[in-house]
Amino acid sequence: MSEPQHHGSDFESVLEEYPVKLENFEGPLDLLLHLIRKHEVDIYDIPIALITHQYLDYLDVMKELDLDLAGDFLVMAATLIHIKARMLVPRLEEEAEESHDPEDPREALVRRLIEHQRYKAAAELLHERETVRSAQWGLPEERLGDLAGEPFERELEVDLFGLLQAFQSVLKRARERPTFRLPSAEVSIETRTRELLQRLENIDACGFEDLFDKDRGRGELVTTFLAVLEMIRLNLIRVFQSASFGPIRVYRCDRPDDAPPPFGDPAHEAPDDMVGAAGAETDD
Amino acid sequence: MSDELKPIIEALIFASPDPLAPKTLFRLLDSEPQEDVAQAVAALRADYEAHGGLQMVEVAGGYQICTRPELHEWVRKLFHEHSKQRLSVQALETLAVVAYKQPITGAEISEIRGVNTSGVIGTLLERQLVKVVGRKQVVGRPFLYATTREFLNRFGLSDLEDLPKVEEMAEALGMEVPSSLAAGPSTEPLPFDDDVLDDGAGDAGAVVDDDDARRRR
Amino acid sequence: MSDELKPIIEALIFASPDPLAPKTLFRLLDSEPQEDVAQAVAALRADYEAHGGLQMVEVAGGYQICTRPELHEWVRKLFHEHSKQRLSVQALETLAVVAYKQPITGAEISEIRGVNTSGVIGTLLERQLVKVVGRKQVVGRPFLYATTREFLNRFGLSDLEDLPKVEEMAEALGMEVPSSLAAGPSTEPLPFDDDVLDDGAGDAGAVVDDDDARRRR
């Protein structure tokens, strides 16, 4: 029984795989922990002068390398210097602050470091759980519709953020939704007919879709379409399609003498068969 | 031999979104003789015959594990079971519109969302996330909907003023807020400056006003 | 009795879009005594222990049937893709803080981690691993974050109590926690105290989800 090549790699070396790169300190606490480990000093008895010195040196290196020196690192530098100062004058401090903080000035920092270290450990354990879990494949989402016997819509666990996001997407859609207008009075069918004829003047033929390429919005598209129908009726253009669903070509032709009168001619109401007849020629 | 293959084949058939064709199975297990694979499949099918609530069927040229037809009534019941914590995208969007635009009629919600929402409002009423708070004084006197106390509980809000505003969320996400949005502490509980939609909700007095309804037509 | 229930329960767990909570199972099978249902579930789990390529796990407060992790590489071949995208160290550490200290504000997370975390929280919100459960009643009324069901699901945890405990952690660190620190005069509660964890989880539950909090008792 041969196994796929990568088998096991995900499980056995979870901790090694955990993507900690000490060079890329996530923050000042990471850097401090690194220095403490590097110098093998006791976290509960940090030689504050040494560590502060090292920490500041590191910041200098970061500056030289032009790394993005986050403010968090500078805040920690100030904290270290402050602790160092208090270590140098412990008696005075204690009297000044009464019994408020009789403890080692390093204690608060140590507590933070320990806590931070615990969360790092927790993150590693979580990563381990994630690795195992991601190796357990559940029933694919696609199958749920079959099993439900009807279209399946997944329900989400929602929070305030989800609520706001949902509202934003509704508003976005509302803004993007096309507005419906009938052909506006701004461009009449007659005007559009003239424009299209002018375009066809020089080229003799073009693709059907090309006639619409200047149109913005549904209203203009409708105007152009009606103009095309009108032009067909007036025998100003001919429209051909090579095959079902094939491209439609539009050809200009000279207006014969027996052509019907123009659309909108007050002397002649638009005949009922106008759209039908023209439609038959464009269809298919 | 077949005993080692069976679990692998079972896992593959289970995890496959489509019926798993024998051809695919042979390819995935290409280090094994095809007759062994075929034999393991046969053995697995026999197991499922004797087995409990699931069965292995051959469909569309492949194998699939599914629930036994006699149990479909139970499965159907399951899919009609809705957790209180969860909402469909439809329901969530509708709830969001009610939350930020209340009080609001069903027709207004449908207009904002661009789809009919009556079914979803039913779901939200059933789950007590929205309630009817009155009727709008326009033709047809439609119901006005608003969110409930259960809605506040559900989202950990003490009152409607607690609803997040867009700039706060941007902050929580570590994004830059366009200055137009961040401008000034609004006394208005509603979060959006939106030309099209804000008027109606922003002015609570105007919501139940005829003018407002006319403007939307 | 349990023999008749087992196939039904198996079909339900198999077909459930999310891990099937015992509560839901009891409701679906409300004509049966709960102890019979519980017994049938236990028997089914035992069957799956002995069984082939699938297993029954308890995750995110419910039961789920899924493939055995040992067969991962085979299943992965089926999808010609690598596993789900992993979380960054930043995201994992931030999640750990939220998980143990929930409900917690963004500022509190940054304080503990020693770095600004707003960007990471945004990522976690988007991936639905944390959620906003309300606002802290202090100046600025910042959002309170907690972990989601998806968080439990992603990390294979049955509930928040299933989070790794302090002893495991100390072991992973290879260090001892001195009693002075563990029980120290800190005004700030240490995070991995069970009491603190329980309270935190209970409170968060009480705010967002009564059912859930009750279930944990």
Side-chain angles (χ1 to χ4, degrees), chain A residues 15 37 117-118 120-126 128, chain C residues 164-176:
Chain A
L15 291 182
R37 271 192 219 114
Q117 214 171 1
R118 282 177 170 182
K120 289 186 87 68
E124 278 185 47
L125 291 170
L126 282 177
E128 205 172 329
Chain C
K165 293 287 180 307
V166 64
E167 308 86 64
E168 293 174 58
M169 211 100 44
E171 210 175 296
L173 286 170
M175 68 165 196
E176 261 177 68

Side-chain angles (χ1 to χ4, degrees), chain C residues 57-77:
Chain C
V57 293
E58 203 175 339
V59 67
Y63 304 106
Q64 188 186 45
I65 293 171
C66 58
T67 62
R68 284 189 195 281
E70 307 89 271
L71 304 172
H72 176 50
E73 288 303 326
W74 294 103
V75 180
R76 221 167 79 166
K77 271 175 93 175

Side-chain angles (χ1 to χ4, degrees), chain A residues 158-160 163, chain B residues 95 151-157, chain C residues 132-134 208:
Chain A
V158 291
D159 64 344
L160 276 178
L163 193 71
Chain B
L95 182 60
F151 165 81
L152 295 177
N153 282 341
R154 168 78 181 66
F155 288 93
L157 300 169
Chain C
V132 177
V133 291
V208 251

Side-chain angles (χ1 to χ4, degrees), chain B residues 7-8 10-12 14-17 20 28-29 48 51-54 65-67 71 74-75 77-79 81 84-86 153-156 158 162-164 168 171-174, chain C residues 7-8 10-12 14-18 20 24 27-29 48 51-54 65-67 71 74-75 77-79 118 122 125 133-135 141 143 145 149 207-209 211:
Chain B
I8 299 171
E10 187 180 22
L12 288 171
F14 171 84
S16 173
L20 193 61
L28 291 168
L29 294 161
Y48 269 86
H51 197 243
L54 307 178
I65 297 171
C66 57
T67 52
L71 302 172
W74 291 102
V75 175
K77 237 178 121 179
L78 170 77
F79 280 95
E81 183 62 35
K84 228 176 159 185
Q85 284 85 49
R86 289 166 169 257
N153 282 341
R154 168 78 181 66
F155 288 93
S158 53
D162 266 358
L163 271 176
E168 283 180 301
E171 201 181 307
L173 292 175
Chain C
I8 300 173
E10 186 179 24
L12 290 173
F14 175 86
S16 178
D18 300 296
L20 190 59
T24 313
R27 199 163 44 227
L28 287 166
L29 293 161
Y48 269 86
H51 198 242
L54 307 180
I65 293 171
C66 58
T67 62
L71 304 172
W74 294 103
V75 180
K77 271 175 93 175
L78 181 68
F79 291 96
S118 55
L125 279 169
V133 291
R135 287 170 179 276
R141 305 210 297 166
F143 291 126
Y145 301 100
R149 217 164 275 276
V207 175
V208 251
D209 170 11
D211 281 349

